[in-house]
Amino acid sequence: TDGVEMSDISSEEALQRALLNLHGAIDESGAEITHGPLPIVRADPTQLTQLLQNLVGNAIKYQCPGTPRIHVSANRSSESKGAFSVQDNGIGIPPEYHEKIFQMFKQLNKSYEGTGIGLALVRKTAERMNGKAGVESEPGKGSRFWIEFKAAP
């Protein structure tokens, strides 16, 4: 959907709402979630929360044996661009699937429950914020999902 009009919002607050929504999965998995300083961004508050929730939720779900470790960070790459990243120590993704996972209803690993729409929504939300989304990953070495967006003035 188009959502509501975008405004300057705290991405720290959006992350905290996402973590609250994921409270059960975090407790059950024992996930350790950290973050660096997160900026004010121009976004739809609900959609930014959902975007972060999808990325952190996937990092919890697609884990290797042991404790899921997830780090959320942000930086400003230029005057008009900023970027979030969500780094995990999960199962990783082969390079040939890096684009496919962002397609609607596409799931790489059918042994995990899911609808195949989470990452498609992440990309659509990033595009709505005049940005883009992608992944850097290798099997067995975790993943780093990134979202580039227009920074708040």
Side-chain angles (χ1 to χ4, degrees), residues 88-150:
D88 67 50
N89 65 340
I91 61 174
I93 302 161
E96 62 268 24
Y97 295 105
H98 287 185
E99 281 303 310
K100 183 178 180 178
I101 60 172
F102 289 100
Q103 296 172 7
M104 193 69 78
F105 305 118
K106 299 292 182 184
Q107 280 188 280
L108 177 60
N109 192 326
K110 304 286 186 199
S111 60
Y112 293 90
E113 282 189 37
T115 60
I117 63 172
L119 291 175
L121 290 175
V122 164
R123 181 162 276 175
K124 288 292 184 191
T125 301
E127 289 170 354
R128 180 167 184 267
M129 295 188 321
N130 298 311
K132 53 189 175 181
V135 65
E136 297 166 1
S137 183
E138 284 184 54
K141 295 188 178 182
S143 301
R144 186 181 79 83
F145 284 87
W146 55 266
I147 300 93
E148 186 178 83
F149 55 91
K150 264 193 164 174

Side-chain angles (χ1 to χ4, degrees), residues 19-137:
L19 296 178
L20 184 62
N21 293 342
L22 291 167
H23 179 71
I26 292 168
D27 284 351
E28 184 177 309
S29 68
E32 295 175 5
I33 303 170
T34 59
H35 67 84
L38 299 176
I40 303 294
V41 296
R42 181 160 291 277
D44 173 327
T46 301
Q47 288 183 342
L48 182 60
T49 298
Q50 186 66 49
L51 181 152
L52 292 168
Q53 183 175 324
N54 285 341
L55 292 177
V56 172
N58 278 356
I60 293 169
K61 182 192 299 186
Y62 299 104
Q63 61 180 293
C64 289
T67 302
R69 288 185 175 77
I70 303 154
H71 184 71
V72 181
S73 61
N75 68 349
R76 187 171 267 224
S77 58
S78 73
E79 288 299 314
S80 63
K81 294 286 183 186
F84 283 105
S85 72
V86 177
Q87 176 85 40
D88 67 50
N89 65 340
I91 61 174
I93 302 161
E96 62 268 24
Y97 295 105
H98 287 185
E99 281 303 310
K100 183 178 180 178
I101 60 172
F102 289 100
Q103 296 172 7
M104 193 69 78
F105 305 118
K106 299 292 182 184
Q107 280 188 280
L108 177 60
N109 192 326
K110 304 286 186 199
S111 60
Y112 293 90
E113 282 189 37
T115 60
I117 63 172
L119 291 175
L121 290 175
V122 164
R123 181 162 276 175
K124 288 292 184 191
T125 301
E127 289 170 354
R128 180 167 184 267
M129 295 188 321
N130 298 311
K132 53 189 175 181
V135 65
E136 297 166 1
S137 183

Side-chain angles (χ1 to χ4, degrees), residues 3-14:
V4 299
E5 186 174 327
M6 288 189 268
S7 59
D8 293 350
I9 62 165
S10 165
S11 54
E12 165 98 27
E13 289 177 15

